[in-house]
Amino acid sequence: MSEHVLVVNSGSSSIKYQLVDVGTGESVAGGLVERIGEGGDGTLRHDGPSGRTDRTQPVPDHDAGVRAVLDLFAEVGPSLTEVGLVAVGHRVVQGGDRFTEPVLVDDAVEAAIEELSPLAPLHNPPNLAGIRAARHAFPELPHVAVFDTAFHHTLPAAARTYAIDRDVAREHGIRRYGFHGTSHAYVSRRTAELLGKATDEVNLIVAHLGNGASITAVRGGESVETSMGLTPLEGLVMGTRSGDVDPAVIFHLQRVAGMSTDEIDTLLNRRSGMIGMAGVNDMRDVHDAVAAGDADARLALDVYCHRLKHYVGAYYAQLGHVDAVVFTAGVGENDDIVRELALAGLERLGIVVDPERNAGRKKTETVISPDGAEVTVLVVPTNEELEIAQQAVALVG
Ligand code: ADP
């Protein structure tokens, strides 16, 4: 019987899960519980071997959410007792300085994740709620926490340090941590395999462009620069986040516009990026608006690609030599226009995109640079669930 891991990604009002067969790398079942603790009924969706099941029922908290998921597995399959579940893998966003690799969850680890919550107030508390609920449901199984920040623990001091007062920085843990680490790790390893090289032999620029977006410079398999910082707000333009702004924008909005800290937090995290500039956060809607002649959408797309190119150039300079530029996640995998615009005009760096190879959505790993190009440009679909499952199995043996 091959080993299976239940991968859980728990948000403030949602639980996403996948049952991964680590032997084949396939997801055998998965689903989503939404509207947890929002008053009305929660919604559940479960995809298994026998098709899709949708349901609405009260889901007052994460415990109830996990119980509802277990009921679905029991009723429509596959049976968790029969598949040979070896671990539950949990995505945790912020591991701080403490967690540089996956860990087996015990009460002390739970407490440490809670202590790190001030650094990730939107993410760590719901991640922890999911862990607690799953530990209640599966007390006999090992639970492994896999941290978004862990892959970036190799950032050199010069890359992770903000140029602010060192005592303030140390006291409050103010530094660049980086996120999307499981995706950057998975995509880096797959890219090395596709290039026919060992992971520690390749220098890569990996652009994870989903609703959240970050870009990482990888030297010899290790993250040496990444665009997200203390929180996932810094760096690239995203669906609803601004990415880089002059920090003085915040003081200005406080002093001149009279906005509160919470209002500015909401503005920059939820009402900026593509939705702020174009009025829609999904890149497909942005392209539709551009095609209809919407000047704001055109500008938003230009800002998005301009920022992306800016980082590609900066990371090329940091790495000195680049073997490949890799696109992944929703926009990176599906959006040929963004891939083309972001890398246009970089021929002198050896970066060229072949229009025919680039055209269309990429469901599988695809080279989009011409044969013989100095830098290989690829699309590598990410698989964070598989990465979490593999890391969990590696830890529990
Ligand atoms: P996340 O995991 O961050 O929620 P995903 O990696 O699933 O996000 O990416 C979702 C985003 O991918 C959508 O918001 C949308 O902008 C983009 N996307 C999905 N499909 C397409 C497509 N066909 N063309 C362009 N962008 C797409």
Side-chain angles (χ1 to χ4, degrees):
M1 189 160 51
S2 92
E3 293 175 317
H4 287 67
V5 174
L6 182 65
V7 177
V8 178
N9 181 354
S10 175
S12 58
S13 64
S14 70
I15 298 173
K16 282 190 211 158
Y17 60 94
Q18 272 191 30
L19 180 63
V20 178
D21 179 336
V22 181
T24 63
E26 297 295 321
S27 167
V28 259
L32 178 63
V33 186
E34 287 179 295
R35 299 173 185 272
I36 298 172
E38 289 188 351
D41 273 352
T43 59
L44 288 82
R45 180 184 135 188
H46 180 82
D47 292 293
S50 52
R52 172 170 167 168
T53 310
D54 288 285
R55 208 167 263 190
T56 54
Q57 67 186 67
V59 189
D61 54 27
H62 285 75
D63 267 314
V66 169
R67 273 201 311 276
V69 171
L70 296 194
D71 290 345
L72 277 165
F73 272 109
E75 285 169 43
V76 300
S79 158
L80 290 178
T81 41
E82 280 167 22
V83 292
L85 203 53
V86 294
V88 183
H90 296 272
R91 176 186 183 209
V92 180
V93 166
Q94 178 55 275
D97 290 325
R98 163 136 184 209
F99 296 110
T100 57
E101 43 191 54
V103 285
L104 215 48
V105 179
D106 57 16
D107 293 347
V109 168
E110 277 191 7
I113 293 172
E114 188 153 39
E115 275 165 32
L116 289 164
S117 289
L119 285 174
L122 301 179
H123 295 102
N124 273 32
N127 295 160
L128 188 56
I131 289 176
R132 287 186 167 137
R135 284 184 80 203
H136 291 158
F138 298 101
E140 73 292 352
L141 279 178
H143 291 255
V144 177
V146 177
F147 298 89
D148 259 29
T149 47
F151 182 61
H152 302 297
H153 82 275
T154 47
L155 287 180
R160 67 169 186 255
T161 305
Y162 289 116
I164 64 170
D165 180 283
R166 62 194 163 188
D167 296 330
V168 173
R170 274 184 207 135
E171 185 181 344
H172 298 286
I174 308 291
R175 46 159 287 197
R176 176 174 286 115
Y177 291 97
F179 298 88
H180 289 143
T182 44
S183 177
H184 288 295
Y186 173 84
V187 169
S188 302
R189 216 181 43 250
R190 280 302 303 151
T191 302
E193 283 165 15
L194 294 166
L195 297 177
K197 294 194 174 166
T199 311
D200 61 7
E201 282 174 355
V202 290
N203 285 1
L204 310 171
I205 298 173
V206 181
H208 174 111
L209 310 176
N211 199 21
S214 68
I215 183 166
T216 295
V218 178
R219 175 180 286 128
E222 295 187 341
S223 169
V224 292
E225 250 297 4
T226 194
S227 59
M228 284 178 167
L230 175 76
T231 76
L233 181 56
E234 192 179 354
L236 298 174
V237 177
M238 310 183 210
T240 68
R241 296 187 200 127
S242 61
D244 297 332
V245 291
D246 180 344
V249 166
I250 296 165
F251 322 138
H252 186 86
L253 290 173
Q254 275 171 336
R255 292 183 188 129
V256 179
M259 292 176 74
S260 70
T261 306
D262 285 345
E263 283 169 342
I264 299 170
D265 190 330
T266 304
L267 175 80
L268 297 180
N269 273 299
R270 297 185 192 277
R271 289 173 43 215
S272 295
M274 301 313 275
I275 204 156
M277 291 184 290
V280 285
N281 71 301
D282 192 302
M283 205 51 103
R284 288 165 287 199
D285 299 331
V286 174
H287 290 305
D288 287 347
V290 171
D294 183 325
D296 288 336
R298 178 74 246 177
L299 176 61
L301 181 63
D302 288 344
V303 174
Y304 187 100
C305 295
H306 178 91
R307 182 89 51 88
L308 193 49
K309 184 186 287 184
H310 172 90
Y311 272 93
V312 170
Y315 289 2
Y316 199 111
Q318 294 295 351
L319 289 170
H321 169 85
V322 176
D323 294 290
V325 176
V326 199
F327 290 95
T328 195
V331 177
E333 292 163 25
N334 294 304
D335 197 323
D336 47 6
I337 298 174
V338 164
R339 293 192 298 254
E340 182 195 325
L341 290 178
L343 299 186
L346 301 184
E347 296 82 6
R348 291 289 294 272
L349 300 180
I351 299 175
V352 181
V353 171
D354 179 296
E356 272 176 36
R357 290 184 174 182
N358 182 43
R361 303 171 62 190
K362 306 294 176 205
K363 293 274 148 220
T364 53
E365 295 158 344
T366 311
V367 172
I368 60 169
S369 49
D371 288 340
E374 200 179 320
V375 177
T376 309
V377 184
L378 310 92
V379 178
V380 175
T382 193
N383 194 338
E384 290 166 278
E385 290 78 16
L386 177 58
E387 179 71 20
I388 291 173
Q390 286 174 336
Q391 292 195 13
V393 165
L395 186 72
V396 303

